[in-house]
Amino acid sequence: MRKAINNITFLTSILATQAYSQTVFPCTDEDQEIANEALSTAQEMLEFAIEGFDGGGIDFGLKAGIWLGARNSTDAEEIRDTYERALVFSEGMKFLCAVDSSFNAIAAVNQDVPVPYIMLGEAFFGLEDNGFDSQPGSVIHELTHGLLVEGTNFLDSERYGTDEALKLAEEDPRTAMSNADNYQYFIEAYYFSLDPP
């Protein structure tokens, strides 16, 4: 019964979204399968990162410093908490898909509805399933956008791209720890064993 209510609520959310924009609809079966696989991998990545914060060693700590500006155990705990909340937020996540190029983002999260969802743009389906700017990394990016920070603000992502994320972590670690791209690139670097570009 609860699942039926959630599905009805989600369909209501779709109708509300369609009233706002005629370009976003339920995903095709093929696109939904790709999105679900990206979400599943994103959840594995989040679990892997959380375990890393619980005892990941020198390589883990170096990557956390490089990508998120983590300088001490308080920073590490804050980052770990964000990933843990992203994992919880991911449970039951729904997807909608853009049907034309007027939605020019890779993805966007909408939590201002009873059932939160991620809207996927056409560009999402052109991403690889690993490496920097991957499909699962993009899902994590949106999950961190959807989290409330101190109950009032979304995680911000005013700096996009690996170069900007690295620069931000070095010059302004506190801002890096509230930038969705930094969370995405750290977890991709750690999970896929990537060095900075």
Side-chain angles (χ1 to χ4, degrees):
M1 177 70 171
R2 183 179 179 113
K3 186 175 181 179
I5 291 171
N6 282 341
N7 285 338
I8 290 169
T9 305
F10 180 61
L11 291 174
T12 303
S13 300
I14 291 172
L15 293 174
T17 300
Q18 288 177 349
Y20 174 73
S21 170
Q22 294 298 315
T23 64
V24 180
F25 291 91
C27 299
T28 65
D29 289 344
E30 180 182 348
D31 288 348
Q32 186 65 54
E33 187 175 324
I34 292 167
N36 288 342
E37 183 61 33
L39 177 61
S40 178
T41 303
Q43 290 167 330
E44 289 175 23
M45 293 167 74
L46 289 164
E47 290 169 354
F48 190 66
I50 292 164
E51 290 171 11
F53 279 102
D54 292 339
I58 293 174
D59 183 54
F60 181 85
L62 289 173
K63 282 188 165 100
I66 289 169
W67 287 106
L68 287 157
R71 303 289 186 250
N72 54 49
S73 61
T74 302
D75 291 348
E77 187 59 34
E78 182 179 329
I79 296 163
R80 182 195 184 284
D81 180 62
T82 298
Y83 283 130
E84 195 163 325
R85 291 184 301 130
L87 183 60
V88 170
F89 187 49
S90 74
E91 296 299 324
M93 183 57 64
K94 305 284 187 182
F95 295 96
L96 294 177
C97 292
V99 295
D100 65 37
S101 60
S102 66
F103 180 78
N104 60 4
I106 290 172
V109 67
N110 185 345
Q111 78 164 25
D112 295 329
V113 292
V115 178
Y117 59 88
I118 294 174
M119 296 177 287
L120 302 174
E122 291 177 352
F124 176 85
F125 298 99
L127 300 176
E128 299 294 326
D129 60 2
N130 60 55
F132 290 119
D133 292 312
S134 65
Q135 288 176 343
S138 295
V139 170
I140 291 168
H141 175 107
E142 296 309 326
L143 291 171
T144 60
H145 263 308
L147 296 173
L148 294 174
V149 177
E150 298 175 4
T152 57
N153 299 315
F154 290 103
L155 284 177
D156 202 3
S157 189
E158 295 179 6
R159 301 256 185 117
Y160 288 97
T162 54
D163 291 342
E164 287 295 314
L166 288 167
K167 184 177 176 183
L168 188 60
E170 184 178 332
E171 295 175 359
D172 188 357
R174 292 303 311 159
T175 302
M177 291 192 319
S178 64
N179 188 50
D181 257 17
N182 287 74
Y183 278 89
Q184 175 182 346
Y185 294 137
F186 165 72
I187 206 166
E188 288 172 330
Y190 182 56
Y191 188 80
F192 298 124
S193 298
L194 303 171
D195 292 323

